[in-house]
Amino acid sequence: MTGADALFAILVLPVAAAALLVLLPGYRASAWINVAASLLTFLAAASLFVLERPAPGNFLLVDDLNIVFVVLNTFVGLTAAVFSASYIGHELETGRLTPANLRFYHAMYQMMMFGMNLALTSNNIGLMWVAVELATLSTVLMVGLYRTHEALEAAWKYFILGSVGIALALFGTILVYLAAQPVLGEGTPAMVWTNLIAAAPRFDPAMLNVAFVFLLVGYGTKVGLAPFHAWLPDAHSEGPTPISAVLSGLLLNVALYAVLRFKLLMTANAEAVAPGPLMIGLGLLSLVFAAFMLYPRRDIKRLFAYSSIEHMGIIVFAFGIGGPLANFAGLLHMVMHSLTKSAIFFAVGNVAQIKGTQKLAEIRGLTQSHPALGWGLVLAVLSIAGMPPSGVFMSEFLLVTTSFARAPVLALILVFGLLLAFGALLLRLTGVAFGTPTDEDHPMAGSLVPLWLHLALIYWIGLHMPRAMVEWFQTVAAILG
């Protein structure tokens, strides 16, 4: 197999699986085909680490930056598919979903994976925009899968706000094309990433400045940054839990990847405005806002939805600060957040099925009633709160260290937001995990394997990050500048 074959498989396997899953009526066969397709896609993505990479074309690209996102995307896609295979069957048995719903669900799952993989491997700013929109529309349809009033409202809110965001991103993309056109000529060459980066110093800086504002707001809406975040809590709380895991763990990263690509374009032009301050401002605003919003939450999935806003703010702040150490911390935090937050939603999905509710007040004493699930949730929440020895602690420690060295005032705001969120998460965790157990009405259906696999990776990386991973992140951090 060559790198070109692996790239072909990453894109074609999800499409072929989606076409097959549309035709299959049986739930069990569809669930395991979904898992098999996700496994093959992950193996193809992981093979890019050892295979010779294909040469960049006008539409597709594999480089040091996007391979990190692609492998993470396909890995979490695989573990979410494994969790989904057991979890969604319970929804069928209880009548919340029908066989027709599940056929649609599995097909859309693979289309979502295709859209995200295409966005991450695009070497064309127009194609990337289309791919992000495809991934968004696929998840919109799955958020409304239960067809309840709340689910449909959440799907419509997601669709409307996401459409506004993607429209702004389209306008920014057009402005980048207009800035490139006098230098690179009309048509495809003025939309190819590799061409744009090489010729960026000759672009009109005023045009780039305006373009980046639209791009940051547009794709920032998809990232879930405040104040463009309103769709995110509803979408996470009302959709199927495996989709909540994918939204927090993957789709937010895809939009972040688009922002980082355009940040590179801005920094390549010495006369353009530095993108860092804008990213720092939105990142800190998202962190502090979400930390305050964690306290009044009454729904467990909405609680962790706001936690996602908080952590995306931290990551955007890290990349806004820039430099080798902050970029390294941002990359590590992105990976750790994806693994930890998806693990949390795997646990929360089981909790909601056991208790028949998502209300925090009605969930108590999980470590006594369901020790494996309860302690898994405890470890995952402690990780996302930044307790050692998790990988999240390591990334936050690196970020706080470099921030204090370079911008002490910003570091104080960062630490304030982190401590505020830490207190909220521990406050909620205490009752859920250690209170007097409440009666449960339903058996646990979802697999715990994905939860504990993610936890093993989170704490292994926190205790001893592999040297190969360190070197890889150092390389990508240098690229980000």
Side-chain angles (χ1 to χ4, degrees), residues 193-321:
W193 276 119
T194 45
N195 294 347
L196 292 171
I197 290 293
R202 293 179 285 160
F203 293 170
D204 177 9
M207 189 78 76
L208 286 180
N209 293 341
V210 177
F212 187 73
V213 171
F214 280 99
L215 290 163
L216 182 59
V217 173
Y219 284 120
T221 302
K222 303 285 187 184
V223 175
L225 297 177
F228 322 118
H229 67 284
W231 64 271
L232 195 150
D234 288 345
H236 281 59
S237 63
E238 298 303 333
T241 301
I243 303 309
S244 301
V246 171
L247 280 171
S248 266
L250 299 182
L251 191 61
L252 305 185
N253 289 348
V254 174
L256 173 67
Y257 170 79
V259 172
L260 292 179
R261 281 292 190 192
F262 285 108
K263 176 180 181 283
L264 288 174
L265 193 65
M266 294 291 292
T267 54
N269 188 304
E271 297 181 18
V273 171
L278 286 173
M279 296 176 69
I280 289 170
L282 283 177
L284 288 178
L285 174 63
S286 300
L287 165 61
V288 175
F289 168 80
F292 276 110
M293 293 299 289
L294 289 172
Y295 283 89
R297 297 307 105 204
R298 298 292 179 265
D299 182 292
I300 191 168
K301 289 177 72 174
R302 291 182 75 89
L303 175 74
F304 292 113
Y306 277 100
S307 174
S308 293
I309 297 171
E310 173 213 346
H311 284 276
M312 295 312 293
I314 295 170
I315 296 166
V316 169
F317 171 80
F319 289 126
I321 286 283

Side-chain angles (χ1 to χ4, degrees), residues 359-372:
K359 294 180 179 179
L360 285 163
E362 299 176 19
I363 303 170
R364 288 287 183 270
L366 285 174
T367 54
Q368 297 180 47
S369 60
H370 297 80

Side-chain angles (χ1 to χ4, degrees), residues 94 97 137 161 200 213 239 241 286 307 333 350 356 358 410 419 439 469 473:
T94 57
L97 294 175
L137 291 176
L161 293 179
V213 171
T241 301
S286 300
S307 174
H333 200 87
N350 278 319
Q358 295 177 188
L410 297 179
L419 291 176
D439 295 333
M469 185 177 182
F473 280 7

